[in-house]
Amino acid sequence: MNIIEPEQLKERLSKGEQITIIDVREDEEVAMGMIPGAIHIPIGLIPERLDDISKTEEVVLVCRSGHRSGVVQEYLERNGYTGLKNMVGGMLEWETL
């Protein structure tokens, strides 16, 4: 499983890199804040929103702690997606930076 640390993502974003970030948390969770520019696709909607996710480009998956985004990463990889990275520690780690 490919991963990215929150510090690495934050540094790349601060340098102006355009990175596709998909936040798989539920509506009430993202209402408390998201990474700027992230796309919100709740985990339960991933199967019906596959066309909204690049199959080959780098995509960073985010959730609260890194568990659900890891589950989504495994699901997408089984369906032929490459370039996926799970942000370890999730938003819990991101918010401490």
Side-chain angles (χ1 to χ4, degrees):
M1 178 180 294
N2 290 324
I3 62 168
I4 188 167
E5 298 283 340
E7 299 85 5
Q8 294 171 304
L9 180 59
K10 190 167 259 190
E11 182 178 327
R12 290 178 61 191
L13 290 172
S14 73
K15 292 178 180 175
E17 282 190 55
Q18 298 297 313
I19 302 168
T20 300
I21 303 167
I22 297 178
D23 192 323
V24 302
R25 296 177 298 156
E26 299 302 323
D27 293 341
E28 58 274 5
E29 293 174 289
V30 298
M32 294 181 222
M34 286 176 58
I35 297 172
I39 301 163
H40 179 221
I41 305 177
I43 191 169
L45 296 181
I46 293 290
E48 62 192 64
R49 300 270 309 267
L50 293 177
D51 290 342
D52 296 335
I53 304 169
S54 173
K55 277 198 115 160
T56 57
E57 294 177 16
E58 180 182 34
V59 175
V60 175
L61 300 165
V62 176
C63 70
R64 180 178 169 271
S65 66
H67 176 73
R68 285 176 286 175
S69 50
V71 170
V72 170
Q73 181 179 7
E74 290 173 6
Y75 171 78
L76 292 173
E77 286 174 346
R78 283 193 312 271
N79 284 279
Y81 287 74
T82 60
L84 302 167
K85 291 185 180 172
N86 182 26
M87 188 175 84
V88 294
M91 291 302 289
L92 291 174
E93 288 259 337
W94 178 268
E95 292 166 354
T96 65
L97 300 177

